[in-house]
Amino acid sequence: MTTPLIEARHVTRILSGVVPTTLVRDVSLSIGAREFVAITGPSGSGKSSLLYLLGLLDLPTEGEVLINGRATAHMDEKERALTRLSFLGFVFQFHFLLPEFTVLDNVRLPMRALGQLSSAAMRERAAHLLDALGLADHMHKRPDQLSGGQRQRVAVARALANEPPVILADEPTGSLDSKASGQVFDLLHELVEEHGKTVVAVTHDMGLAERMQRHIELLDGRVVADEAHANVTPLTEPRSNSVHNASDSPS
């Protein structure tokens, strides 16, 4: 039996306060290799909270999260950080690129944190990823010199920097227009279909969710539906650039 890449076992997250708030309620699910998963639900349903728990950005109050079969409950922060850096890539709605750094330096940040490559190899891999994403002419610019869609592609390049098997995306198209949204969706789809990644994306866009291979719906912190969909087709015309062979850059 294949080990899930991510598994949640009876996970609950309660936010303490004068009136405690339950963000996630007794969620159990597993996510395997090459899955393209949408997490949807109304505002306040626990979508992002669940994603942060799956990505070890937050800790459950009850239950546990396993990463590639490894329990994480007793990891210290250093071990959790190392697991995030090596196994998980993150893309957020507001990209969180550092404005004082160039695009190239933003992509190098996860590699520097992991500390497994030489400076030259980090630069070469970052440049290769940006070229594959159609950003070769922008790598020495700062984020505020790019469009929203370009900044989000930089965020995807940064998420891929350490070659993680899993990409977790929180509303990755939420701040983009329809054209840029379609391009980002197709890029995530390409990561699954052509490069064997697993992508789990929180989205409020039901049109996108219905085009993903699996659709998990939350309500009041609980999973109320978990459905498989038919094969996914791209939303836009094929791009001239591709992430093809991005994994062949220096490692």
Side-chain angles (χ1 to χ4, degrees):
M1 184 176 180
T2 304
T3 301
L5 297 183
I6 302 179
E7 184 177 4
R9 295 179 177 174
H10 302 289
V11 166
T12 293
R13 179 66 170 102
I14 300 173
L15 192 64
S16 60
V18 177
V19 180
T21 303
T22 301
L23 304 176
V24 175
R25 301 171 184 266
D26 192 29
V27 169
S28 293
L29 56 84
S30 62
I31 296 169
R34 302 182 69 101
E35 287 203 68
F36 194 17
V37 184
I39 299 177
T40 69
S43 179
S45 62
K47 304 184 297 296
S48 294
S49 297
L50 176 59
L51 193 77
Y52 295 166
L53 291 167
L54 297 178
L56 308 185
L57 294 172
D58 194 12
L59 299 176
T61 308
E62 300 173 9
E64 63 176 338
V65 174
L66 285 74
I67 300 294
N68 204 27
R70 293 182 60 209
T72 62
H74 300 295
M75 289 182 176
D76 60 23
E77 181 49 41
K78 182 177 181 180
E79 192 172 4
R80 283 195 298 272
L82 182 60
T83 301
R84 286 194 298 267
L85 281 168
S86 60
F87 201 83
L88 306 165
F90 297 90
V91 180
F92 300 97
Q93 178 176 356
F94 298 108
H95 57 74
F96 295 120
L97 301 176
L98 297 183
E100 66 272 24
F101 288 177
T102 65
V103 163
L104 186 72
D105 286 337
N106 268 280
V107 176
R108 287 197 293 181
L109 285 173
M111 292 181 270
R112 292 174 60 185
L114 191 59
Q116 294 183 348
L117 299 178
S118 68
S119 179
M122 285 189 286
R123 180 183 177 84
E124 186 172 350
R125 174 157 176 79
H128 183 85
L129 283 166
L130 290 167
D131 181 45
L133 293 172
L135 296 165
D137 293 336
H138 303 286
M139 63 179 66
H140 298 299
K141 295 180 180 179
R142 305 210 180 264
D144 63 2
Q145 297 175 288
L146 305 182
S147 69
Q150 288 170 332
R151 288 194 291 268
Q152 200 61 304
R153 278 186 280 154
V154 175
V156 171
R158 181 182 59 188
L160 293 168
N162 289 327
E163 301 186 73
V166 179
I167 303 298
L168 301 177
D170 190 11
E171 297 282 8
T173 65
S175 61
L176 304 178
D177 61 30
S178 59
K179 180 179 178 180
S181 293
Q183 291 171 341
V184 170
F185 174 88
D186 288 347
L187 173 56
L188 297 176
H189 176 223
E190 180 184 331
L191 294 178
V192 176
E193 292 297 313
E194 297 187 23
H195 307 286
K197 305 293 184 184
T198 288
V199 173
V200 182
V202 165
T203 181
H204 68 278
D205 188 328
M206 295 302 294
L208 294 184
E210 292 298 326
R211 299 183 66 85
M212 297 170 73
Q213 294 165 350
R214 181 176 171 191
H215 182 184
I216 297 171
E217 184 180 357
L218 295 187
L219 183 64
D220 297 331
R222 298 182 185 276
V223 174
V224 294
D226 188 345
E227 302 174 340
H229 290 164
N231 291 335
V232 183
T233 55
L235 289 179
T236 61
E237 291 298 317
R239 293 176 296 115
S240 58
N241 291 287
S242 168
V243 196
H244 185 59
N245 291 331
S247 60
D248 294 335
S249 59
S251 57

